[in-house]
Amino acid sequence: MTPQFNFLIGGRAVGDARECFAVINPSTGELLGEVAKASPADVAEAVRVAQQAQPGWAARSDQERAETIRLLAATLRDNAEQLAAWVAREQGKPLGGLGPETVPGARFELSACQAWCEVNASLSVPHEVVFEDQTRRDEVMREPYGVIAAIAPWNWPLMIAIWQIVPALRMGNAVVLKPSEYTSIATLEMVRILAQVLPPGVLNVVTGAGDVGAALVQDPRIGKILFTGSTATGSRIAAIAAQRIVPTTLELGGNDAAVVLPDADPQAIAMGLFWGAFINMGQTCACIKRLYVHDSIHDAVVSELSDLVRAMPVGDPLAEGTVMGPIQNRMQFDKVTRLVRDTVQQGRGRVVCGGEPLPGPGYFFPLTLITGVRDGDAIVDEEQFGPVLPIIRYDKVEEAIASANRLDLGLGASVWGQDPVQTRQVASQLQAGTVWVNQHGAVHPMVPFGGTKRSGWGVEFGVDGLKSVSTQRVISIRK
C-alpha cells in the first residue's frame, strides 16, 4: 500500500480525504509516496493558526527563543540519519560522509541544518542607540512581522527551509512553509519532528504545487514572504506582494561565472572548481555555470577537471561510496538534455566527457564538460542547473570580466589565481551579491548572502539575516 504523507497545521497532521499528488524517486522512477494537497481553506487555516500562536511565541524572552532553537539543532542531530535517507531517496543526493573525505550530500545537508540552527541561536539583535546628545536619545528596536510565508525549493529542500524557518522563529515570527511538490516528504518529516519541540502553531507546513504557494502569498495576514526559486516565479510573487506592499526576500536564479586568471595553478584549483560547479549535480543556484579560463592554461584546466569528472562514481544515492546522483526531476532532466544536444547538433561546442543520458531507470545524466563554446550560446547564457559545465576561452582579463557581467543575473561569482592583489581587483569588478576568491559557493551562516540584478533582493544569514525577518521601530525621546 502506498504511504500517504499529510501536511501539518498547529502540530497536527491534516490531509485525510484530500486530493493527493505523487512523489517520485528520481533514481528509480518508482513511487515513494503520495502527499495530501492543501486546499485554499487549508492554507487559510494554517495562516490563522500561525497568527494565533505568534504573539505567545514573540512574548518569550530572547534567551528562551534561543534555547528553543538550540533544541531544534539537537533534534535535527538526533534524527539526522533518518532525514538524510529521505533526502537521498527523494531529492537524489548521495548520503555522502562526514569527515576528512566529506562528500557534500544528504548527510552534509543535515549537518548544515544543524549549523544554521546553532549559529542563529548564538546571535541576537539588541536594541541599538543610534543617536544621543543633550537634547534627545534615539533607539532602534526590532519586532517580528507576525506570520511569515516561506516557500522552499527542491534542490536543498531541508537546508534552505531551515534558512527560512530558523531566523524567522528566532525573531519571534510564526511560519507557514510551502515546500516544493517534488521534495515534500523529507520536509514534512523534518517539520513533524521539529514541531514536537515548538509550541503548536508556530511552525506549519502546507503542501502542493504553485497554486498552493499562490494562495499562501496572497493571504492578507502574511507579514513577509521568503522565497527561494526561479526568477520567473520570484517575479510573479513580487507582483503579488507589490499589490499589498508586503516585503519580500527573494533568492532567485543564478548563472554564476568563474574567472580563472593566467597565473592560476590548474592542479591546485581543480578540486575547488569541480565542487564549485558540480555540488548537488550542479543543482545549486550559486554554483559555477560558466567557467572562463585564460587561453594559456585552458587545456591544462580542462585536463585536470576531466580527470576528476571521470573518477567520480555516479549511482544509487543510498549506496555508500556514491558521489553523484540523478537530476531531481524529469523537467530539469529534459532541459539539461536539450541544452547539451542542441549545442552538439549545432556544432557550437565539443563534449570532452559525458554528454548523453545514462541508460536505465532514473534521471541520470553524467557529469559533462563542454569546450569551444562562447557567449551567446544557449548552454552559456541559460542557467542549465544540472551537471554540465561550459568552459570558455578568453585572451584578456578585461574580456572575461565583461563576459561574466553581461547577463542579467548576479547571485555569485568567483575569481581564481595566485596574486592576491589581482584577484581582489578582479573580484571588485564582478557584478554579483557574493564574489568568492579561490572558492565558490562557500556560504556561511554568519555571512550575509543575497543576489543582485534579476537574482533577487534582500539578504539572509548572520545578523543582517535576522534583521531582514523583523521590522524596525525607532523610539525617539526628547530629554
Side-chain angles (χ1 to χ4, degrees):
M1 183 175 178
T2 302
Q4 177 176 322
F5 296 85
N6 293 336
F7 49 92
L8 286 94
I9 298 176
R12 182 174 58 88
V14 179
D16 291 342
R18 263 67 166 190
E19 176 186 351
C20 291
F21 58 93
V23 175
I24 302 300
N25 183 328
S27 298
T28 64
E30 296 173 347
L31 180 66
L32 275 175
E34 293 189 333
V35 176
K37 178 185 176 182
S39 68
D42 292 324
V43 174
E45 176 64 6
V47 177
R48 186 195 69 79
V49 169
Q51 187 181 45
Q52 187 176 45
Q54 187 271 330
W57 173 245
R60 296 193 178 193
S61 70
D62 185 72
Q63 183 177 353
E64 287 177 307
R65 291 200 302 272
E67 285 301 320
T68 302
I69 300 300
R70 289 189 183 93
L71 286 176
L72 296 184
T75 301
L76 288 168
R77 187 181 307 110
D78 293 342
N79 293 274
E81 197 64 17
Q82 168 196 343
L83 292 173
W86 271 116
V87 171
R89 285 192 292 265
E90 185 182 42
Q91 197 280 331
K93 284 185 190 68
L95 285 172
L98 291 174
E101 302 298 325
T102 296
V103 171
R107 290 181 179 127
F108 173 89
E109 179 163 355
L110 266 296
S111 178
C113 290
Q114 296 164 41
W116 255 262
C117 288
E118 290 164 354
V119 168
N120 276 278
S122 73
L123 299 175
S124 62
V125 186
H127 297 338
E128 181 183 3
V129 178
V130 294
F131 180 78
E132 186 170 16
D133 65 9
Q134 295 176 338
T135 64
R136 62 186 288 167
R137 175 186 173 91
D138 295 86
E139 301 177 5
V140 174
M141 304 172 62
R142 309 299 309 190
E143 298 180 345
Y145 278 104
V147 179
I148 286 186
I151 302 178
W154 51 259
N155 57 334
W156 294 89
L158 303 194
M159 183 179 74
I160 292 179
I162 287 293
W163 289 358
Q164 298 172 332
I165 294 166
V166 168
L169 295 180
R170 181 73 183 84
M171 296 304 289
N173 300 282
V175 176
V176 180
L177 172 70
K178 206 292 281 187
S180 168
E181 62 271 30
Y182 292 120
T183 52
S184 295
I185 296 176
T187 309
L188 287 171
E189 287 298 287
M190 180 180 74
V191 172
R192 179 182 63 79
I193 291 166
L194 297 183
Q196 297 170 13
V197 176
L198 294 164
V202 169
L203 174 60
N204 310 274
V205 58
V206 290
T207 44
D211 57 331
V212 176
L216 178 59
V217 299
Q218 289 170 347
D219 192 292
R221 295 164 293 184
I222 294 296
K224 180 163 186 176
I225 301 165
L226 308 179
F227 172 76
T228 298
S230 71
T231 297
T233 302
S235 179
R236 292 194 291 271
I237 288 174
I240 292 170
Q243 295 174 3
R244 293 196 298 109
I245 321 296
V246 176
T248 59
T249 294
L250 305 177
E251 197 263 89
L252 308 178
N255 197 340
D256 290 11
V259 177
V260 179
L261 300 177
D263 71 339
D265 179 344
Q267 186 175 26
I269 67 173
M271 188 63 78
L273 289 174
F274 174 86
W275 284 117
F278 293 119
I279 185 172
N280 195 28
M281 288 293 283
Q283 299 169 120
T284 298
C285 295
C287 70
I288 300 170
K289 311 285 187 4
R290 303 174 285 147
L291 180 59
Y292 294 90
V293 183
H294 191 266
D295 183 70
S296 64
I297 58 171
H298 173 277
D299 292 351
V301 169
V302 171
S303 177
E304 294 289 343
L305 283 174
S306 62
D307 287 346
L308 288 173
V309 164
R310 292 187 174 99
M312 296 294 174
V314 178
D316 179 4
L318 290 171
E320 297 291 347
T322 301
V323 175
M324 293 289 164
I327 293 175
Q328 201 284 321
N329 58 76
R330 168 63 70 178
M331 176 185 67
Q332 201 61 38
F333 177 83
D334 289 345
K335 178 181 180 180
V336 170
T337 303
R338 170 184 61 80
L339 283 170
V340 174
R341 285 180 175 169
D342 287 353
T343 299
V344 173
Q345 290 170 2
Q346 295 168 11
R348 306 295 287 179
R350 180 178 74 89
V351 174
V352 176
C353 45
E356 281 292 330
L358 297 175
Y363 306 133
F364 285 97
F365 199 98
L367 302 180
T368 299
L369 301 176
I370 299 181
T371 60
V373 291
R374 59 192 177 189
D375 290 347
D377 292 342
I379 198 72
V380 176
D381 285 13
E382 290 189 38
E383 183 189 15
Q384 63 272 22
F385 213 71
V388 179
L389 180 62
I391 304 173
I392 306 103
R393 289 180 185 265
Y394 75 88
D395 181 43
K396 296 179 180 179
V397 173
E398 294 76 17
E399 296 171 355
I401 294 170
S403 289
N405 291 339
R406 60 181 283 272
L407 299 180
D408 62 355
L409 299 173
L411 188 57
S414 60
V415 55
W416 304 72
Q418 298 188 63
D419 182 346
V421 174
Q422 187 183 28
T423 54
R424 179 63 181 264
Q425 184 181 44
V426 173
S428 68
Q429 297 178 71
L430 296 178
Q431 298 168 1
T434 301
V435 181
W436 291 280
V437 176
N438 292 321
Q439 57 182 354
H440 196 106
V443 296
H444 190 282
M446 289 289 288
V447 180
F449 177 72
T452 61
K453 299 192 274 190
R454 286 179 58 82
S455 288
W457 55 57
V459 296
E460 302 172 283
F461 312 164
V463 171
D464 286 342
L466 290 178
K467 289 181 177 180
S468 77
V469 287
S470 61
T471 62
Q472 173 183 290
R473 174 176 295 181
V474 174
I475 305 295
S476 184
I477 304 167
R478 180 180 178 183
K479 292 184 176 178

